Amino acid sequence: QVQLVESGGGSVQAGGSLRLSCAASSHLPPGRCLGWFRQGPGKEREGIAFIRTPSDRGYTTDSVKGRFTIDRDSTKNTVYLQMNSLKPEDTAMYYCAYVADTYFRVPTACPRGLTQYNVWGQGTQVTVSS
């Protein structure tokens, strides 16, 4: 069973940047989806970025488009979330997750909802102050 470990969270002022990492414990086969999700205080967990192996670039949702990017280093079994122009409303616990048992033929098939993601990391906190 693959395990995921996030890192890179912290406190930053508005306008700053952070780069989150999600390290997988083993190689991920092709056609698998990974996603970054976040859950702010009093909010539901939402998906914000998705990538399909073996691609090294993925896509983001409209809520973070233009500020966040997702990419992957296959040599390190690691997925990254680059976050720029951070806003206080980006404050949340950030999680990466993986769909372990489904082959996705194209990157846009990666699900945006939580239910199919069956492997989760422990999360990393991001706090953005104004």
Side-chain angles (χ1 to χ4, degrees):
Q1 175 82 335
V2 170
Q3 294 181 326
L4 304 175
V5 178
E6 302 98 332
S7 61
S11 297
V12 64
Q13 289 194 324
S17 298
L18 285 173
R19 185 169 174 81
L20 306 184
S21 300
C22 171
S25 59
S26 61
H27 172 72
L28 302 178
R32 297 294 194 265
C33 288
L34 296 103
W36 281 100
F37 295 78
R38 67 182 182 183
Q39 187 165 15
K43 299 180 180 179
E44 293 186 351
R45 194 172 297 187
E46 63 166 339
I48 57 173
F50 308 92
I51 193 166
R52 172 189 173 273
T53 60
S55 301
D56 57 5
R57 291 290 186 269
Y59 68 93
T60 56
T61 61
D62 288 344
S63 61
V64 300
K65 193 179 294 293
R67 299 189 298 122
F68 292 10
T69 56
I70 182 172
D71 61 279
R72 192 177 75 93
D73 185 339
S74 61
T75 64
K76 298 180 181 179
N77 293 329
T78 300
V79 174
Y80 302 96
L81 183 68
Q82 178 66 44
M83 306 188 296
N84 299 327
S85 301
L86 283 161
K87 304 175 181 179
E89 51 263 44
D90 294 318
T91 293
M93 185 69 80
Y94 285 71
Y95 301 89
C96 67
Y98 171 63
V99 183
D101 53 2
T102 303
Y103 175 82
F104 295 92
R105 194 171 64 86
V106 295
T108 51
C110 286
R112 298 189 176 198
L114 282 66
T115 55
Q116 286 187 264
Y117 290 87
N118 47 16
V119 179
W120 290 81
Q122 83 289 351
T124 186
Q125 177 69 37
V126 172
T127 302
V128 184
S129 58
S130 57

